[in-house]
Amino acid sequence: MSSKREAPADSIWQDRDIRFDLDPRLLCLIPGEHLVDRIDGVEDTKGNNGDRGILRITNLRIIWHAHAIPRINLSVGYNAVGGVTTRMAKSRLRGQAESLYLMARNANTRFEFIFTCINPSQTKLFTTVITIHRAYETSKLYRELKMRGAIVNDEHQLRILPQEQQCDRFDGVWNLSSDQVYILAHSEVADCYLSLEFENSRIDLP
């Protein structure tokens, strides 16, 4: 039997945190993380203006590191990103250019990141990051606990998500945190507990 143990859930920080100057080993993809695109010749215009680097876009985060000194790097999880847009910025390598702006927050600290492609014909930086961040934001119900959400319709039927299937339904299931009868609905991605008496007593548990 292998002596290796699974990493605890709270050790998965890649999609939630903003981290700087990491050990390069922490920039490696974790299980379940996939590389969507890699773009060479990207400048971190806000934090390392004048440094040419590599930007990797995954399904969990954005990773940038400098070409010359890889220990100068950053990892921005999509859960920390509050907005993505494009604006004009002044780059040392390219001059005035359209750049990608990320507005982010980590704990009580706000961050602004600006990335500029050295090659003016390289525009997939904008479309790829905007598309992946939107996909991350709109898929939270598949992976996060949801309390008192609109997970059922007026007929007390589970609202099925895309590519989700309801496997079974059990009436008369008790939630031991309160003396009310709940319905348990099993699906591929969630267990749903619904109180018929209290409309706000709903839990969506992936």
Side-chain angles (χ1 to χ4, degrees):
M1 182 180 295
S2 173
S3 61
K4 293 183 179 180
R5 295 182 179 180
E6 294 290 332
D10 59 3
S11 68
I12 300 176
W13 53 266
Q14 283 78 2
D15 69 324
R16 299 187 173 274
D17 289 357
I18 300 171
R19 300 194 180 187
F20 300 90
D21 301 333
L22 293 165
D23 184 316
R25 291 175 295 180
L26 296 178
L27 300 180
C28 296
L29 305 187
I30 63 171
E33 184 176 18
H34 307 287
L35 181 65
V36 177
D37 210 341
R38 168 186 163 139
I39 305 175
D40 294 321
V42 177
E43 176 192 68
D44 174 18
T45 306
K46 180 77 173 184
N48 297 280
N49 202 336
D51 288 342
R52 186 187 300 263
I54 297 172
L55 188 78
R56 287 187 290 159
I57 304 166
T58 81
N59 58 321
L60 299 181
R61 56 179 167 162
I62 293 172
I63 303 167
W64 180 89
H65 69 81
H67 271 298
I69 310 176
R71 65 177 176 79
I72 299 178
N73 60 65
L74 58 90
S75 172
V76 183
Y78 294 130
N79 196 66
V81 176
V84 184
T85 187
T86 60
R87 297 180 192 170
M88 298 301 293
K90 187 174 182 180
S91 162
R92 288 183 183 175
L93 297 178
R94 194 180 151 193
Q96 200 75 8
E98 186 177 19
S99 304
L100 180 74
Y101 272 66
L102 301 181
M103 283 68 73
R105 184 171 188 151
N106 203 36
N108 295 322
T109 305
R110 295 180 182 274
F111 295 91
E112 181 182 66
F113 299 95
I114 306 173
F115 298 104
T116 305
C117 283
I118 308 307
N119 183 353
S121 64
Q122 181 65 273
T123 59
K124 66 178 180 178
L125 168 64
F126 309 134
T127 56
T128 303
V129 172
I130 291 172
T131 300
I132 297 300
H133 177 255
R134 176 171 174 76
Y136 179 90
E137 285 293 302
T138 56
S139 61
K140 286 186 175 181
L141 274 177
Y142 288 96
R143 61 182 180 273
E144 295 187 3
L145 175 67
K146 184 74 173 178
M147 302 287 290
R148 301 181 179 89
I151 56 178
V152 294
N153 59 25
D154 293 338
E155 288 75 36
H156 301 295
Q157 300 298 316
L158 181 66
R159 297 181 189 272
I160 302 298
L161 299 173
Q163 299 184 359
E164 180 183 21
Q165 295 179 359
Q166 181 171 316
C167 300
D168 214 334
R169 174 187 173 112
F170 302 94
D171 294 331
V173 176
W174 286 81
N175 180 341
L176 299 182
S177 65
S178 62
D179 294 333
Q180 302 300 329
V181 178
Y182 279 66
I183 293 174
L184 169 64
H186 280 295
S187 69
E188 287 184 342
V189 297
D191 289 339
C192 167
Y193 294 86
L194 162 67
S195 170
L196 292 178
E197 185 170 348
F198 296 101
E199 292 294 324
N200 288 332
S201 297
R202 296 170 178 174
I203 304 172
D204 185 10
L205 179 64

